[in-house]
Amino acid sequence: MSTKKLSIILADDDEDDRLLFELAVKKINVPTELLMFKNGVEVIEHLRDNRKNLPDILFLDLNMPNKNGLESLKEMKLDPGLEGITVVIYSTSSSEKDVESTFLEGANIYIKKPSDFNQLKKTIEKVLTLDWQYHTSLLNRENFLFRL
């Protein structure tokens, strides 16, 4: 059995959301290393500076200052060194336009931020234990919008 920690990055400008996310990750039974950033500029700079140590999963909020989640996603998918990162859109928006545009730009899954902490834990745990190879091979609009 592997003891490798799952490398996770969260990019979210809301401090409360970052703290709740961190607490939820600590409460689930998946060994992780979590880095957090406040906006798309910070996360893209970090990814480019650490190409040899990319995360297993990047949780990306859509509504951030300086560079929003969609802009960050587009930039990553155009960069050959970053295009393969598994990207989970993690947003308060449930707008069909946001879901559609992030799907078309190559995100792997879309999660509307749960308002309940227990639901947040369950959602994060489910995402962290997903069989990503299977999920991405069957990716379509139906399984892109994540539901428990």
Side-chain angles (χ1 to χ4, degrees):
M1 185 168 137
S2 174
T3 58
K4 181 189 177 296
K5 289 184 177 184
L6 199 60
S7 172
I8 305 167
I9 288 180
L10 170 64
D12 193 326
D13 64 312
D14 187 297
E15 184 176 3
D16 290 338
D17 285 350
R18 287 193 311 271
L19 292 172
L20 282 173
F21 188 95
E22 182 178 28
L23 184 59
V25 167
K26 286 179 179 177
K27 296 247 182 219
I28 61 177
N29 197 20
V30 176
T32 59
E33 288 180 351
L34 174 63
L35 289 175
M36 296 186 287
F37 298 92
K38 296 177 190 165
N39 60 56
V41 172
E42 287 181 6
V43 77
I44 293 292
E45 284 176 4
H46 171 80
L47 294 171
R48 288 197 168 131
D49 290 346
N50 294 280
R51 289 180 187 269
K52 292 190 186 326
N53 223 359
L54 294 174
D56 296 304
I57 302 174
L58 169 62
F59 288 81
L60 189 59
D61 184 24
L62 283 182
N63 301 310
M64 297 184 290
N66 302 326
K67 183 179 292 184
N68 69 37
L70 184 58
E71 293 166 336
S72 301
L73 176 63
K74 287 178 179 180
E75 196 169 324
M76 286 174 20
K77 294 304 177 179
L78 290 173
D79 186 320
L82 305 179
E83 66 184 346
I85 296 172
T86 298
V87 178
V88 175
I89 301 300
Y90 179 69
S91 180
T92 55
S93 170
S94 56
S95 151
E96 188 58 41
K97 178 181 174 274
D98 288 339
V99 173
E100 181 72 11
S101 60
T102 54
F103 176 78
L104 293 173
E105 290 299 335
N108 298 89
I109 202 163
Y110 192 105
I111 296 172
K112 181 168 182 335
K113 290 179 183 178
S115 55
D116 174 74
F117 183 73
N118 286 327
Q119 190 71 19
L120 175 63
K121 278 190 334 191
K122 287 179 189 173
T123 300
I124 292 172
E125 185 171 26
K126 178 104 174 169
V127 168
L128 296 184
T129 57
L130 253 174
D131 180 344
W132 283 100
Q133 185 174 357
Y134 176 78
H135 180 80
T136 54
S137 69
L138 298 174
L139 188 61
N140 60 48
R141 283 179 174 81
E142 300 307 310
N143 64 6
F144 177 67
L145 184 56
F146 188 77
R147 295 178 178 94
L148 269 181

